[in-house]
Amino acid sequence: MDQTRRKLMLTAAGGAVLAAASVRGALAAAPFRYKYANNLPATHPMNVRAREAAAAIAKDTNGRFQLDIFPSSQLGSDTDTLSQLRAGAVEFFTLSGLILSTLVPTASISGVGFAFPDYDTVWKAMDGRLGEFIRGEIKAKGLLVMDKIWDNGFRQVTTSTRPINGPGDFKDMKIRVPVSPLWTSMFQALGAAPASINFNETYSALQTRIVDGQENPLAIIQTAKLYEVQKYCSMTNHMWDGFWFLMNRRAWEKLPEDIQGIVSRHINEAGMNMRADTFALNGELQTKLAQQGLVFNTPDPGPIRDALRKAGFYKEWQGKYGEKAWAILEQSVGKLS
């Protein structure tokens, strides 16, 4: 009996220890654990800075908030993840304004061809009235958004046939573009033959000469090894693209105000740091891509912009975006239409 009683007591004591450990574990778990999804590799500056922000947020909230990061479209395509964000299955998501335009049409206005001459103009607009206007449009669709947009860089044209030195070089060029009316209409206005091809098919389309060229930021040209099937890279800077840091409204409103403040501060700081990272990376990549065989040139954007104006490209999109949005854009970049 003594041995039996002793075993029961030991078993009970052991159970009590396990129960206490479980309680401590539950108490130690973050009461707010949110998911952040994006479509870029884990090594991209976006995710490097996001991990830094997540660590800082956990520290400053004393472990009350945990940000779990899901890079490389792990939670689904951009369209799928946007749906999850709206439903609340994902709490945070960074998305290009050009793709967000499927929900918020005016979000793509920052990608109008040859609108921004340089980064100074980009940040003046996106940290100023144009960015404020777009954020208002996003909020009107039921989402929330951080103040600072993250950088995806200017887009450049690569070709296998000839460099782009002026608008005439686009004539009859077969160029791959994303599935987007803004891209298609711009290259059609320049006399090119744009083909909407999924990005995962772009390398083979270039390799087999289904298309002569494509356009993307340098980071994507490098990581996708497009330099292997292209000869020229013209630094056209024809479109600027950025990522809005989007939030599910219901999930955000569940957070105490102090946690909201900490999360906002660190996410916006991470976005600013990522901008600097992307700018530095672009300089490094041009040198690296030249070493890998791409021949670089920098055309004058003025004649290309004039050709778009003459073809009615700007007037067309002024009508689509509306007078108010277009006026705000032109206040930032100057007269386009």
Side-chain angles (χ1 to χ4, degrees), residues 245-278:
F245 203 104
L246 306 171
M247 302 173 279
N248 176 273
R249 182 187 296 272
R250 294 182 301 278
W252 183 254
E253 290 176 347
K254 287 179 182 178
L255 297 177
E257 285 189 17
D258 66 318
I259 292 182
Q260 287 181 353
I262 291 168
V263 173
S264 296
R265 176 164 55 85
H266 285 297
I267 292 298
N268 284 320
E269 284 179 0
M272 296 297 287
N273 290 331
M274 183 265 197
R275 292 181 185 181
D277 295 339
T278 304

PDB file of all heavy atoms in Angstrom, residues 245-278:
ATOM      1  N   PHE A 245       2.192  48.648 -47.187  1.00  0.00           N
ATOM      2  CA  PHE A 245       2.111  47.727 -46.047  1.00  0.00           C
ATOM      3  C   PHE A 245       0.665  47.773 -45.541  1.00  0.00           C
ATOM      4  O   PHE A 245       0.264  48.686 -44.820  1.00  0.00           O
ATOM      5  CB  PHE A 245       3.087  48.137 -44.946  1.00  0.00           C
ATOM      6  CG  PHE A 245       3.472  47.002 -44.041  1.00  0.00           C
ATOM      7  CD1 PHE A 245       4.709  46.390 -44.151  1.00  0.00           C
ATOM      8  CD2 PHE A 245       2.589  46.534 -43.087  1.00  0.00           C
ATOM      9  CE1 PHE A 245       5.067  45.342 -43.320  1.00  0.00           C
ATOM     10  CE2 PHE A 245       2.929  45.481 -42.253  1.00  0.00           C
ATOM     11  CZ  PHE A 245       4.170  44.880 -42.376  1.00  0.00           C
ATOM     12  N   LEU A 246      -0.106  46.761 -45.941  1.00  0.00           N
ATOM     13  CA  LEU A 246      -1.547  46.723 -45.698  1.00  0.00           C
ATOM     14  C   LEU A 246      -1.884  45.975 -44.415  1.00  0.00           C
ATOM     15  O   LEU A 246      -1.159  45.051 -44.016  1.00  0.00           O
ATOM     16  CB  LEU A 246      -2.255  46.044 -46.878  1.00  0.00           C
ATOM     17  CG  LEU A 246      -1.953  46.635 -48.265  1.00  0.00           C
ATOM     18  CD1 LEU A 246      -2.528  45.730 -49.349  1.00  0.00           C
ATOM     19  CD2 LEU A 246      -2.522  48.043 -48.378  1.00  0.00           C
ATOM     20  N   MET A 247      -3.024  46.341 -43.811  1.00  0.00           N
ATOM     21  CA  MET A 247      -3.441  45.727 -42.551  1.00  0.00           C
ATOM     22  C   MET A 247      -4.926  45.401 -42.586  1.00  0.00           C
ATOM     23  O   MET A 247      -5.717  46.151 -43.170  1.00  0.00           O
ATOM     24  CB  MET A 247      -3.177  46.682 -41.376  1.00  0.00           C
ATOM     25  CG  MET A 247      -1.737  47.116 -41.233  1.00  0.00           C
ATOM     26  SD  MET A 247      -1.562  48.389 -39.946  1.00  0.00           S
ATOM     27  CE  MET A 247      -2.052  49.863 -40.845  1.00  0.00           C
ATOM     28  N   ASN A 248      -5.289  44.295 -41.959  1.00  0.00           N
ATOM     29  CA  ASN A 248      -6.705  43.991 -41.760  1.00  0.00           C
ATOM     30  C   ASN A 248      -7.250  44.909 -40.668  1.00  0.00           C
ATOM     31  O   ASN A 248      -6.696  44.972 -39.568  1.00  0.00           O
ATOM     32  CB  ASN A 248      -6.871  42.520 -41.359  1.00  0.00           C
ATOM     33  CG  ASN A 248      -8.310  42.171 -41.041  1.00  0.00           C
ATOM     34  OD1 ASN A 248      -8.758  42.331 -39.911  1.00  0.00           O
ATOM     35  ND2 ASN A 248      -9.027  41.695 -42.039  1.00  0.00           N
ATOM     36  N   ARG A 249      -8.313  45.609 -40.972  1.00  0.00           N
ATOM     37  CA  ARG A 249      -8.844  46.615 -40.053  1.00  0.00           C
ATOM     38  C   ARG A 249      -9.268  46.008 -38.710  1.00  0.00           C
ATOM     39  O   ARG A 249      -8.928  46.529 -37.640  1.00  0.00           O
ATOM     40  CB  ARG A 249     -10.040  47.333 -40.685  1.00  0.00           C
ATOM     41  CG  ARG A 249     -10.625  48.439 -39.809  1.00  0.00           C
ATOM     42  CD  ARG A 249     -11.903  48.993 -40.399  1.00  0.00           C
ATOM     43  NE  ARG A 249     -11.664  49.636 -41.671  1.00  0.00           N
ATOM     44  CZ  ARG A 249     -11.319  50.919 -41.813  1.00  0.00           C
ATOM     45  NH1 ARG A 249     -11.156  51.677 -40.742  1.00  0.00           N
ATOM     46  NH2 ARG A 249     -11.133  51.433 -43.006  1.00  0.00           N
ATOM     47  N   ARG A 250     -10.000  44.892 -38.745  1.00  0.00           N
ATOM     48  CA  ARG A 250     -10.503  44.295 -37.497  1.00  0.00           C
ATOM     49  C   ARG A 250      -9.359  43.837 -36.607  1.00  0.00           C
ATOM     50  O   ARG A 250      -9.385  44.041 -35.388  1.00  0.00           O
ATOM     51  CB  ARG A 250     -11.432  43.123 -37.819  1.00  0.00           C
ATOM     52  CG  ARG A 250     -12.719  43.541 -38.516  1.00  0.00           C
ATOM     53  CD  ARG A 250     -13.633  42.354 -38.784  1.00  0.00           C
ATOM     54  NE  ARG A 250     -13.007  41.332 -39.620  1.00  0.00           N
ATOM     55  CZ  ARG A 250     -12.947  41.391 -40.943  1.00  0.00           C
ATOM     56  NH1 ARG A 250     -13.477  42.426 -41.585  1.00  0.00           N
ATOM     57  NH2 ARG A 250     -12.370  40.434 -41.639  1.00  0.00           N
ATOM     58  N   ALA A 251      -8.346  43.221 -37.214  1.00  0.00           N
ATOM     59  CA  ALA A 251      -7.199  42.754 -36.432  1.00  0.00           C
ATOM     60  C   ALA A 251      -6.451  43.926 -35.812  1.00  0.00           C
ATOM     61  O   ALA A 251      -6.021  43.867 -34.651  1.00  0.00           O
ATOM     62  CB  ALA A 251      -6.257  41.940 -37.316  1.00  0.00           C
ATOM     63  N   TRP A 252      -6.296  45.005 -36.568  1.00  0.00           N
ATOM     64  CA  TRP A 252      -5.573  46.181 -36.067  1.00  0.00           C
ATOM     65  C   TRP A 252      -6.318  46.817 -34.902  1.00  0.00           C
ATOM     66  O   TRP A 252      -5.719  47.205 -33.903  1.00  0.00           O
ATOM     67  CB  TRP A 252      -5.380  47.187 -37.185  1.00  0.00           C
ATOM     68  CG  TRP A 252      -4.591  48.393 -36.781  1.00  0.00           C
ATOM     69  CD1 TRP A 252      -5.062  49.651 -36.557  1.00  0.00           C
ATOM     70  CD2 TRP A 252      -3.184  48.458 -36.526  1.00  0.00           C
ATOM     71  NE1 TRP A 252      -4.041  50.499 -36.204  1.00  0.00           N
ATOM     72  CE2 TRP A 252      -2.872  49.789 -36.172  1.00  0.00           C
ATOM     73  CE3 TRP A 252      -2.156  47.515 -36.585  1.00  0.00           C
ATOM     74  CZ2 TRP A 252      -1.576  50.201 -35.863  1.00  0.00           C
ATOM     75  CZ3 TRP A 252      -0.863  47.926 -36.284  1.00  0.00           C
ATOM     76  CH2 TRP A 252      -0.587  49.242 -35.922  1.00  0.00           C
ATOM     77  N   GLU A 253      -7.626  46.902 -35.024  1.00  0.00           N
ATOM     78  CA  GLU A 253      -8.416  47.561 -33.980  1.00  0.00           C
ATOM     79  C   GLU A 253      -8.491  46.744 -32.691  1.00  0.00           C
ATOM     80  O   GLU A 253      -8.867  47.278 -31.642  1.00  0.00           O
ATOM     81  CB  GLU A 253      -9.813  47.865 -34.516  1.00  0.00           C
ATOM     82  CG  GLU A 253      -9.797  48.967 -35.584  1.00  0.00           C
ATOM     83  CD  GLU A 253     -11.153  49.231 -36.211  1.00  0.00           C
ATOM     84  OE1 GLU A 253     -12.072  48.396 -35.999  1.00  0.00           O
ATOM     85  OE2 GLU A 253     -11.287  50.240 -36.929  1.00  0.00           O
ATOM     86  N   LYS A 254      -8.119  45.464 -32.742  1.00  0.00           N
ATOM     87  CA  LYS A 254      -8.066  44.632 -31.535  1.00  0.00           C
ATOM     88  C   LYS A 254      -6.843  44.951 -30.678  1.00  0.00           C
ATOM     89  O   LYS A 254      -6.804  44.624 -29.493  1.00  0.00           O
ATOM     90  CB  LYS A 254      -8.033  43.149 -31.912  1.00  0.00           C
ATOM     91  CG  LYS A 254      -9.343  42.602 -32.434  1.00  0.00           C
ATOM     92  CD  LYS A 254      -9.193  41.131 -32.792  1.00  0.00           C
ATOM     93  CE  LYS A 254     -10.481  40.565 -33.376  1.00  0.00           C
ATOM     94  NZ  LYS A 254     -10.316  39.143 -33.773  1.00  0.00           N
ATOM     95  N   LEU A 255      -5.839  45.573 -31.286  1.00  0.00           N
ATOM     96  CA  LEU A 255      -4.602  45.851 -30.561  1.00  0.00           C
ATOM     97  C   LEU A 255      -4.772  47.039 -29.628  1.00  0.00           C
ATOM     98  O   LEU A 255      -5.372  48.051 -30.000  1.00  0.00           O
ATOM     99  CB  LEU A 255      -3.464  46.147 -31.546  1.00  0.00           C
ATOM    100  CG  LEU A 255      -3.047  45.032 -32.504  1.00  0.00           C
ATOM    101  CD1 LEU A 255      -1.965  45.542 -33.451  1.00  0.00           C
ATOM    102  CD2 LEU A 255      -2.548  43.808 -31.741  1.00  0.00           C
ATOM    103  N   PRO A 256      -4.217  46.961 -28.410  1.00  0.00           N
ATOM    104  CA  PRO A 256      -4.190  48.140 -27.531  1.00  0.00           C
ATOM    105  C   PRO A 256      -3.430  49.282 -28.205  1.00  0.00           C
ATOM    106  O   PRO A 256      -2.549  49.055 -29.039  1.00  0.00           O
ATOM    107  CB  PRO A 256      -3.451  47.638 -26.284  1.00  0.00           C
ATOM    108  CG  PRO A 256      -3.587  46.147 -26.325  1.00  0.00           C
ATOM    109  CD  PRO A 256      -3.625  45.772 -27.767  1.00  0.00           C
ATOM    110  N   GLU A 257      -3.764  50.505 -27.836  1.00  0.00           N
ATOM    111  CA  GLU A 257      -3.162  51.672 -28.484  1.00  0.00           C
ATOM    112  C   GLU A 257      -1.650  51.693 -28.361  1.00  0.00           C
ATOM    113  O   GLU A 257      -0.950  52.109 -29.296  1.00  0.00           O
ATOM    114  CB  GLU A 257      -3.747  52.964 -27.906  1.00  0.00           C
ATOM    115  CG  GLU A 257      -5.155  53.271 -28.393  1.00  0.00           C
ATOM    116  CD  GLU A 257      -5.608  54.655 -27.985  1.00  0.00           C
ATOM    117  OE1 GLU A 257      -4.745  55.483 -27.620  1.00  0.00           O
ATOM    118  OE2 GLU A 257      -6.824  54.921 -28.038  1.00  0.00           O
ATOM    119  N   ASP A 258      -1.108  51.264 -27.213  1.00  0.00           N
ATOM    120  CA  ASP A 258       0.345  51.313 -27.061  1.00  0.00           C
ATOM    121  C   ASP A 258       1.029  50.338 -28.020  1.00  0.00           C
ATOM    122  O   ASP A 258       2.079  50.646 -28.588  1.00  0.00           O
ATOM    123  CB  ASP A 258       0.761  51.055 -25.610  1.00  0.00           C
ATOM    124  CG  ASP A 258       0.445  49.643 -25.146  1.00  0.00           C
ATOM    125  OD1 ASP A 258      -0.650  49.134 -25.468  1.00  0.00           O
ATOM    126  OD2 ASP A 258       1.294  49.031 -24.454  1.00  0.00           O
ATOM    127  N   ILE A 259       0.411  49.169 -28.229  1.00  0.00           N
ATOM    128  CA  ILE A 259       0.986  48.203 -29.168  1.00  0.00           C
ATOM    129  C   ILE A 259       0.850  48.721 -30.599  1.00  0.00           C
ATOM    130  O   ILE A 259       1.784  48.593 -31.403  1.00  0.00           O
ATOM    131  CB  ILE A 259       0.324  46.816 -29.012  1.00  0.00           C
ATOM    132  CG1 ILE A 259       0.703  46.204 -27.659  1.00  0.00           C
ATOM    133  CG2 ILE A 259       0.739  45.884 -30.148  1.00  0.00           C
ATOM    134  CD1 ILE A 259       0.149  44.805 -27.423  1.00  0.00           C
ATOM    135  N   GLN A 260      -0.273  49.332 -30.919  1.00  0.00           N
ATOM    136  CA  GLN A 260      -0.429  49.936 -32.245  1.00  0.00           C
ATOM    137  C   GLN A 260       0.695  50.931 -32.524  1.00  0.00           C
ATOM    138  O   GLN A 260       1.284  50.942 -33.613  1.00  0.00           O
ATOM    139  CB  GLN A 260      -1.776  50.650 -32.355  1.00  0.00           C
ATOM    140  CG  GLN A 260      -2.978  49.740 -32.463  1.00  0.00           C
ATOM    141  CD  GLN A 260      -4.268  50.524 -32.604  1.00  0.00           C
ATOM    142  OE1 GLN A 260      -4.279  51.759 -32.489  1.00  0.00           O
ATOM    143  NE2 GLN A 260      -5.365  49.835 -32.838  1.00  0.00           N
ATOM    144  N   GLY A 261       0.999  51.761 -31.534  1.00  0.00           N
ATOM    145  CA  GLY A 261       2.048  52.762 -31.705  1.00  0.00           C
ATOM    146  C   GLY A 261       3.413  52.140 -31.926  1.00  0.00           C
ATOM    147  O   GLY A 261       4.183  52.593 -32.784  1.00  0.00           O
ATOM    148  N   ILE A 262       3.722  51.093 -31.166  1.00  0.00           N
ATOM    149  CA  ILE A 262       5.024  50.421 -31.292  1.00  0.00           C
ATOM    150  C   ILE A 262       5.144  49.735 -32.650  1.00  0.00           C
ATOM    151  O   ILE A 262       6.172  49.842 -33.338  1.00  0.00           O
ATOM    152  CB  ILE A 262       5.208  49.407 -30.145  1.00  0.00           C
ATOM    153  CG1 ILE A 262       5.370  50.146 -28.807  1.00  0.00           C
ATOM    154  CG2 ILE A 262       6.419  48.507 -30.397  1.00  0.00           C
ATOM    155  CD1 ILE A 262       5.267  49.250 -27.587  1.00  0.00           C
ATOM    156  N   VAL A 263       4.090  49.023 -33.052  1.00  0.00           N
ATOM    157  CA  VAL A 263       4.117  48.320 -34.340  1.00  0.00           C
ATOM    158  C   VAL A 263       4.251  49.326 -35.484  1.00  0.00           C
ATOM    159  O   VAL A 263       5.096  49.153 -36.368  1.00  0.00           O
ATOM    160  CB  VAL A 263       2.844  47.465 -34.517  1.00  0.00           C
ATOM    161  CG1 VAL A 263       2.785  46.881 -35.931  1.00  0.00           C
ATOM    162  CG2 VAL A 263       2.811  46.337 -33.484  1.00  0.00           C
ATOM    163  N   SER A 264       3.468  50.388 -35.458  1.00  0.00           N
ATOM    164  CA  SER A 264       3.534  51.402 -36.521  1.00  0.00           C
ATOM    165  C   SER A 264       4.929  52.004 -36.629  1.00  0.00           C
ATOM    166  O   SER A 264       5.480  52.143 -37.724  1.00  0.00           O
ATOM    167  CB  SER A 264       2.517  52.515 -36.259  1.00  0.00           C
ATOM    168  OG  SER A 264       1.202  52.033 -36.316  1.00  0.00           O
ATOM    169  N   ARG A 265       5.492  52.348 -35.486  1.00  0.00           N
ATOM    170  CA  ARG A 265       6.807  52.999 -35.493  1.00  0.00           C
ATOM    171  C   ARG A 265       7.875  52.093 -36.098  1.00  0.00           C
ATOM    172  O   ARG A 265       8.647  52.522 -36.960  1.00  0.00           O
ATOM    173  CB  ARG A 265       7.198  53.390 -34.061  1.00  0.00           C
ATOM    174  CG  ARG A 265       8.598  53.988 -33.940  1.00  0.00           C
ATOM    175  CD  ARG A 265       8.757  54.708 -32.612  1.00  0.00           C
ATOM    176  NE  ARG A 265       8.432  53.837 -31.472  1.00  0.00           N
ATOM    177  CZ  ARG A 265       9.312  52.990 -30.907  1.00  0.00           C
ATOM    178  NH1 ARG A 265      10.557  52.906 -31.380  1.00  0.00           N
ATOM    179  NH2 ARG A 265       8.964  52.271 -29.867  1.00  0.00           N
ATOM    180  N   HIS A 266       7.899  50.848 -35.679  1.00  0.00           N
ATOM    181  CA  HIS A 266       8.952  49.951 -36.168  1.00  0.00           C
ATOM    182  C   HIS A 266       8.726  49.529 -37.622  1.00  0.00           C
ATOM    183  O   HIS A 266       9.705  49.394 -38.377  1.00  0.00           O
ATOM    184  CB  HIS A 266       9.067  48.728 -35.261  1.00  0.00           C
ATOM    185  CG  HIS A 266       9.745  49.014 -33.955  1.00  0.00           C
ATOM    186  ND1 HIS A 266      11.054  49.439 -33.887  1.00  0.00           N
ATOM    187  CD2 HIS A 266       9.300  48.953 -32.672  1.00  0.00           C
ATOM    188  CE1 HIS A 266      11.394  49.621 -32.618  1.00  0.00           C
ATOM    189  NE2 HIS A 266      10.340  49.337 -31.868  1.00  0.00           N
ATOM    190  N   ILE A 267       7.474  49.349 -38.036  1.00  0.00           N
ATOM    191  CA  ILE A 267       7.217  48.990 -39.425  1.00  0.00           C
ATOM    192  C   ILE A 267       7.588  50.135 -40.353  1.00  0.00           C
ATOM    193  O   ILE A 267       8.229  49.934 -41.401  1.00  0.00           O
ATOM    194  CB  ILE A 267       5.737  48.588 -39.621  1.00  0.00           C
ATOM    195  CG1 ILE A 267       5.429  47.267 -38.896  1.00  0.00           C
ATOM    196  CG2 ILE A 267       5.402  48.460 -41.113  1.00  0.00           C
ATOM    197  CD1 ILE A 267       6.195  46.069 -39.388  1.00  0.00           C
ATOM    198  N   ASN A 268       7.219  51.358 -39.988  1.00  0.00           N
ATOM    199  CA  ASN A 268       7.564  52.504 -40.836  1.00  0.00           C
ATOM    200  C   ASN A 268       9.071  52.745 -40.873  1.00  0.00           C
ATOM    201  O   ASN A 268       9.630  53.090 -41.926  1.00  0.00           O
ATOM    202  CB  ASN A 268       6.827  53.755 -40.361  1.00  0.00           C
ATOM    203  CG  ASN A 268       5.356  53.744 -40.752  1.00  0.00           C
ATOM    204  OD1 ASN A 268       5.009  53.330 -41.857  1.00  0.00           O
ATOM    205  ND2 ASN A 268       4.491  54.189 -39.860  1.00  0.00           N
ATOM    206  N   GLU A 269       9.760  52.550 -39.740  1.00  0.00           N
ATOM    207  CA  GLU A 269      11.220  52.671 -39.725  1.00  0.00           C
ATOM    208  C   GLU A 269      11.853  51.610 -40.618  1.00  0.00           C
ATOM    209  O   GLU A 269      12.812  51.885 -41.352  1.00  0.00           O
ATOM    210  CB  GLU A 269      11.736  52.525 -38.293  1.00  0.00           C
ATOM    211  CG  GLU A 269      11.521  53.757 -37.422  1.00  0.00           C
ATOM    212  CD  GLU A 269      12.033  53.554 -36.003  1.00  0.00           C
ATOM    213  OE1 GLU A 269      12.562  52.449 -35.706  1.00  0.00           O
ATOM    214  OE2 GLU A 269      11.895  54.486 -35.185  1.00  0.00           O
ATOM    215  N   ALA A 270      11.314  50.397 -40.565  1.00  0.00           N
ATOM    216  CA  ALA A 270      11.839  49.315 -41.410  1.00  0.00           C
ATOM    217  C   ALA A 270      11.661  49.657 -42.882  1.00  0.00           C
ATOM    218  O   ALA A 270      12.543  49.393 -43.708  1.00  0.00           O
ATOM    219  CB  ALA A 270      11.133  48.001 -41.076  1.00  0.00           C
ATOM    220  N   GLY A 271      10.514  50.257 -43.232  1.00  0.00           N
ATOM    221  CA  GLY A 271      10.279  50.667 -44.608  1.00  0.00           C
ATOM    222  C   GLY A 271      11.282  51.706 -45.076  1.00  0.00           C
ATOM    223  O   GLY A 271      11.786  51.640 -46.202  1.00  0.00           O
ATOM    224  N   MET A 272      11.601  52.665 -44.218  1.00  0.00           N
ATOM    225  CA  MET A 272      12.587  53.688 -44.571  1.00  0.00           C
ATOM    226  C   MET A 272      13.976  53.077 -44.746  1.00  0.00           C
ATOM    227  O   MET A 272      14.714  53.430 -45.679  1.00  0.00           O
ATOM    228  CB  MET A 272      12.615  54.769 -43.492  1.00  0.00           C
ATOM    229  CG  MET A 272      11.315  55.557 -43.364  1.00  0.00           C
ATOM    230  SD  MET A 272      10.901  56.491 -44.847  1.00  0.00           S
ATOM    231  CE  MET A 272      12.123  57.808 -44.755  1.00  0.00           C
ATOM    232  N   ASN A 273      14.341  52.146 -43.868  1.00  0.00           N
ATOM    233  CA  ASN A 273      15.634  51.473 -43.993  1.00  0.00           C
ATOM    234  C   ASN A 273      15.704  50.624 -45.258  1.00  0.00           C
ATOM    235  O   ASN A 273      16.730  50.555 -45.931  1.00  0.00           O
ATOM    236  CB  ASN A 273      15.900  50.607 -42.763  1.00  0.00           C
ATOM    237  CG  ASN A 273      16.161  51.421 -41.510  1.00  0.00           C
ATOM    238  OD1 ASN A 273      16.668  52.541 -41.589  1.00  0.00           O
ATOM    239  ND2 ASN A 273      15.820  50.874 -40.355  1.00  0.00           N
ATOM    240  N   MET A 274      14.574  49.988 -45.587  1.00  0.00           N
ATOM    241  CA  MET A 274      14.533  49.161 -46.788  1.00  0.00           C
ATOM    242  C   MET A 274      14.691  50.013 -48.049  1.00  0.00           C
ATOM    243  O   MET A 274      15.295  49.585 -49.030  1.00  0.00           O
ATOM    244  CB  MET A 274      13.215  48.380 -46.813  1.00  0.00           C
ATOM    245  CG  MET A 274      13.081  47.415 -47.974  1.00  0.00           C
ATOM    246  SD  MET A 274      12.190  48.155 -49.355  1.00  0.00           S
ATOM    247  CE  MET A 274      11.750  46.688 -50.273  1.00  0.00           C
ATOM    248  N   ARG A 275      14.152  51.235 -48.028  1.00  0.00           N
ATOM    249  CA  ARG A 275      14.351  52.146 -49.166  1.00  0.00           C
ATOM    250  C   ARG A 275      15.842  52.378 -49.426  1.00  0.00           C
ATOM    251  O   ARG A 275      16.308  52.322 -50.575  1.00  0.00           O
ATOM    252  CB  ARG A 275      13.674  53.484 -48.903  1.00  0.00           C
ATOM    253  CG  ARG A 275      12.167  53.470 -48.870  1.00  0.00           C
ATOM    254  CD  ARG A 275      11.653  54.884 -48.609  1.00  0.00           C
ATOM    255  NE  ARG A 275      10.209  54.944 -48.435  1.00  0.00           N
ATOM    256  CZ  ARG A 275       9.527  56.059 -48.226  1.00  0.00           C
ATOM    257  NH1 ARG A 275      10.183  57.229 -48.167  1.00  0.00           N
ATOM    258  NH2 ARG A 275       8.225  56.040 -48.082  1.00  0.00           N
ATOM    259  N   ALA A 276      16.573  52.647 -48.361  1.00  0.00           N
ATOM    260  CA  ALA A 276      18.016  52.887 -48.496  1.00  0.00           C
ATOM    261  C   ALA A 276      18.724  51.630 -48.988  1.00  0.00           C
ATOM    262  O   ALA A 276      19.643  51.700 -49.819  1.00  0.00           O
ATOM    263  CB  ALA A 276      18.594  53.341 -47.157  1.00  0.00           C
ATOM    264  N   ASP A 277      18.306  50.474 -48.483  1.00  0.00           N
ATOM    265  CA  ASP A 277      18.898  49.211 -48.910  1.00  0.00           C
ATOM    266  C   ASP A 277      18.701  48.995 -50.409  1.00  0.00           C
ATOM    267  O   ASP A 277      19.621  48.584 -51.128  1.00  0.00           O
ATOM    268  CB  ASP A 277      18.262  48.028 -48.164  1.00  0.00           C
ATOM    269  CG  ASP A 277      18.533  48.047 -46.668  1.00  0.00           C
ATOM    270  OD1 ASP A 277      19.503  48.703 -46.253  1.00  0.00           O
ATOM    271  OD2 ASP A 277      17.768  47.404 -45.927  1.00  0.00           O
ATOM    272  N   THR A 278      17.486  49.240 -50.885  1.00  0.00           N
ATOM    273  CA  THR A 278      17.158  49.013 -52.293  1.00  0.00           C
ATOM    274  C   THR A 278      17.950  49.944 -53.200  1.00  0.00           C
ATOM    275  O   THR A 278      18.452  49.532 -54.251  1.00  0.00           O
ATOM    276  CB  THR A 278      15.643  49.208 -52.531  1.00  0.00           C
ATOM    277  OG1 THR A 278      14.912  48.332 -51.658  1.00  0.00           O
ATOM    278  CG2 THR A 278      15.256  48.911 -53.963  1.00  0.00           C
TER     279      THR A 278
END
